[in-house]
C-alpha cells in the first residue's frame, strides 16, 4: 500500500507527511500508551542477537503456551502478523469472486477492505444505537447466503461490547454455512465474565482473532493469533507465507505472556484513565460513549465541531481520530494514556470549547 487512497487506516507517519504537522501525542491509532513490560523489552534485545536465524514457522511453543492459557489444544491456535494480517489471510481462504461477506457499516473497516479486494460482494448493515445490530446481521446473512460475517467485540470505533453470551447466540443463529469472525483485539480490557471462551469458539463455525498489539503493547512487531477449529485453521494455513511472523516478535509474545503483572497493571491504569476521561469530557460538554477498550469515543455538538476540534488539536501536536463512520461523524476517538498525558490532552480540549 503506497498511499491513503489505498489504506483504510494510514499510519500516523503518513498523516504527518500529508499534513506537514508533527505529533507530540499520537492518540489516533489506539496504541498502548503505557508501553511493553520491561522484561519484554529485555527479551527483544536478547532475541535480536538471533535475528539472522529464521523463526520456527510452526510457532510450536507459542501455540502451546497460548493453548494452555486459553484451555484448548495448540492445534486450535494459528499465529499471524496481527489481526490485519489474519484478516488478509482469512479473506483469501474464505472469500473471493462469487462469495459474500456481511459486516456493519461503521465498524473497523479493514475486513471490508480485504473482502472487496478478494472479489467478494460486501453487504453493510447500520449500527443500532451506536452498537452492532446482531438482528440485522442475521437477517442480511440469511438473505444473502453469506460466507462470512465479521464484527469486532469490543467494537472499534465505539468501544462497546456485546459480550460472549451474545456472540455465541449470534453464531448459533447464523446459517450453517456462514463463518462468524470475531475481532477480539481489545479482549483483555473486557471484564472476564464478558469474554468469549476459546473452548466455546472451537466447537462452532467461528474464528476468534486476538492480538499482542493492544494490551501487550507490541503493535510495532505485528503478531496475533486466531482461535478456531482445526479444519478452519487448516484453511488459513493453506497457501500461506511460511515466515510471516519473525523470531523477535515471537520471543516478545512469549515474554509478554509471562508478564502477567504488567498486563494487569496496564488494564487497571486504562480503566482508571477511561473513568477520568469520562468525568472530565462530560464536564466539558461532550457525550462519552460507553466502552471497554484502550480508547474513549465521545460526541461533539456536530460533525463540523468535531472536525474543527481535531484540526486545533493537531496543530498543537495532539493527534486524535475524527470518525468518518456512518452515524459517528460527530465523534472523536482518543487513546487512553498516563495521567500527565490525559491532563495535557484535556487542557488542549478545554481551549477548543
Amino acid at each position: 500500500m503506497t498511499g491513503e487512497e489505498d489504506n483504510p487506516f494510514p499510519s500516523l507517519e503518513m498523516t504527518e507527511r500529508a499534513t506537514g504537522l508533527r505529533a507530540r501525542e499520537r492518540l489516533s491509532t489506539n496504541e498502548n500508551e503505557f508501553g511493553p513490560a520491561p522484561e519484554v523489552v529485555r527479551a527483544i534485545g536478547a532475541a535480536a542477537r538471533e535475528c539472522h536465524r529464521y523463526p520456527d514457522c510452526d510457532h510450536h511453543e507459542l501455540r502451546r503456551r497460548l493453548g494452555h492459557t486459553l484451555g484448548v489444544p495448540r492445534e486450535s491456535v494459528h499465529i499471524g502478523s496481527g489481526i490485519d494480517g489474519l484478516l488478509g489471510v482469512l479473506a483469501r481462504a474464505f472469500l473471493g469472486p462469487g462469495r459474500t461477506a456481511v459486516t456493519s457499516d461503521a465498524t473497523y473497516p479493514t475486513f471490508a477492505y480485504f473482502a472487496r479486494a478478494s472479489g467478494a460482494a460486501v453487504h453493510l448493515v447500520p449500527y443500532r444505537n451506536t452498537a452492532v445490530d446482531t438482528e440485522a446481521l442475521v437477517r442480511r446473512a440469511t438473505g444473502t447466503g453469506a460466507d462470512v460475517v465479521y464484527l469486532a467485540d469490543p467494537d472499534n470505533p465505539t468501544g462497546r461490547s456485546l459480550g460472549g453470551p451474545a456472540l455465541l447466540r449470534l453464531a448459533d443463529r447464523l446459517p450453517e454455512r456462514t463463518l462468524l469472525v470475531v475481532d477480539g483485539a481489545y479482549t483483555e480490557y473486557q471484564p472476564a465474565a464478558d469474554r468469549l471462551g476459546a473452548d466455546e469458539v472451537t466447537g462452532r463455525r467461528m474464528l476468534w482473532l486476538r492480538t499482542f498489539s493492544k494490551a501487550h503493547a507490541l503493535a510495532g512487531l505485528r503478531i496475533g493469533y486466531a482461535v478456531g477449529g482445526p479444519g478452519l485453521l487448516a484453511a488459513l494455513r493453506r497457501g500461506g507465507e511460511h515466515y510471516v511472523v519473525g523470531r523477535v516478535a515471537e520471543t516478545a509474545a512469549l515474554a509478554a505472556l509471562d508478564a502477567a503483572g504488567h498486563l494487569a497493571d496496564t488494564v487497571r491504569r486504562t480503566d482508571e484513565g477511561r473513568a477520568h476521561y469520562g468525568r472530565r469530557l462530560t464536564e466539558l460538554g461532550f457525550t462519552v460513549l460507553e466502552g471497554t477498550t484502550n480508547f474513549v469515543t465521545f460526541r461533539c455538538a456536530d460533525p463540523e465541531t468535531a472536525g474543527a476540534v481535531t484540526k486545533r488539536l493537531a496543530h498543537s501536536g495532539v493527534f486524535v481520530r475524527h470518525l468518518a463512520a456512518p452515524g459517528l461523524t460527530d465523534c472523536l476517538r482518543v487513546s487512553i494514556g498516563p495521567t500527565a498525558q490525559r491532563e495535557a490532552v484535556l487542557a488542549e480540549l478545554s481551549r477548543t470549547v
Side-chain angles (χ1 to χ4, degrees):
M1 292 181 285
T2 59
E4 292 193 19
E5 72 279 2
D6 301 320
N7 190 341
F9 271 130
S11 66
L12 185 138
E13 289 79 5
M14 292 166 68
T15 302
E16 288 181 323
R17 289 192 291 271
T19 62
L21 302 174
R22 291 293 175 264
R24 173 168 51 86
E25 301 290 357
R26 44 185 296 160
L27 307 179
S28 58
T29 53
N30 304 347
E31 293 166 331
N32 183 337
E33 293 298 301
F34 300 104
E39 54 265 52
V40 172
V41 175
R42 290 193 293 270
I44 290 170
R49 291 193 289 269
E50 294 292 316
C51 67
H52 58 299
R53 304 296 185 192
Y54 288 113
D56 172 13
C57 60
D58 184 51
H59 305 292
H60 183 277
E61 180 58 17
L62 181 57
R63 290 167 59 225
R64 185 192 69 79
R65 287 286 307 280
L66 285 168
H68 177 76
T69 299
L70 295 166
V72 294
R74 65 179 176 85
E75 290 80 11
S76 296
V77 181
H78 173 80
I79 306 301
S81 58
I83 286 180
D84 283 10
L86 289 165
L87 288 173
V89 173
L90 185 151
R92 185 181 67 235
F94 298 104
L95 294 171
R99 296 191 172 185
T100 301
V102 172
T103 187
S104 298
D105 63 359
T107 196
Y108 187 61
T110 302
F111 169 75
Y113 167 78
F114 282 125
R116 291 190 182 99
S118 78
V122 178
H123 294 262
L124 304 177
V125 301
Y127 279 5
R128 182 178 182 184
N129 298 325
T130 68
V132 172
D133 188 342
T134 57
E135 293 294 327
L137 290 177
V138 170
R139 287 195 300 271
R140 189 64 61 88
T142 302
T144 61
D147 295 276
V148 179
V149 169
Y150 165 90
L151 77 163
D153 194 78
D155 184 49
N156 178 14
T158 67
R160 295 187 63 171
S161 173
L162 298 173
L167 295 172
L168 296 176
R169 288 195 296 273
L170 171 61
D172 292 341
R173 293 183 61 203
L174 289 172
E176 186 176 348
R177 70 188 301 274
T178 302
L179 170 66
L180 176 62
V181 177
V182 177
D183 180 338
Y186 302 95
T187 294
E188 287 84 357
Y189 298 101
Q190 286 179 292
D194 290 343
R195 298 175 192 168
L196 281 169
D199 57 333
E200 299 169 318
V201 170
T202 56
R204 292 172 166 84
R205 188 165 174 77
M206 188 174 182
L207 288 173
W208 189 22
L209 309 185
R210 303 285 300 276
T211 186
F212 286 91
S213 293
K214 303 302 181 182
H216 294 290
L218 298 181
L221 292 181
R222 311 310 305 135
I223 182 165
Y225 55 99
V227 178
L232 295 174
L233 298 189
L236 291 182
R237 290 192 300 272
R238 195 172 300 121
E241 183 181 342
H242 296 304
Y243 298 117
V244 69
V245 173
R247 181 178 292 273
V248 175
E250 182 167 4
T251 298
L254 286 165
L257 292 177
D258 288 331
H262 182 82
L263 174 62
D265 186 60
T266 294
V267 172
R268 176 187 61 78
R269 295 173 72 189
T270 304
D271 288 343
E272 291 173 354
R274 188 184 307 109
H276 177 214
Y277 266 138
R279 290 191 302 272
R280 294 289 300 279
L281 289 168
T282 300
E283 291 170 0
L284 289 171
F286 299 106
T287 301
V288 181
L289 303 188
E290 178 185 353
T292 56
T293 56
N294 70 340
F295 59 82
V296 291
T297 299
F298 58 95
R299 290 192 183 278
C300 300
D302 50 53
E304 292 73 26
T305 300
V309 170
T310 303
K311 288 180 181 178
R312 289 177 197 151
L313 290 175
H315 279 278
S316 71
V318 178
F319 279 35
V320 302
R321 180 74 66 184
H322 179 199
L323 301 185
L328 299 172
T329 54
D330 59 347
C331 290
L332 303 184
R333 193 191 65 202
V334 181
S335 303
I336 299 169
T339 303
Q341 182 191 74
R342 298 195 304 271
E343 292 291 1
V345 172
L346 288 162
E348 294 290 347
L349 276 169
S350 70
R351 288 190 274 272
T352 71
V353 297

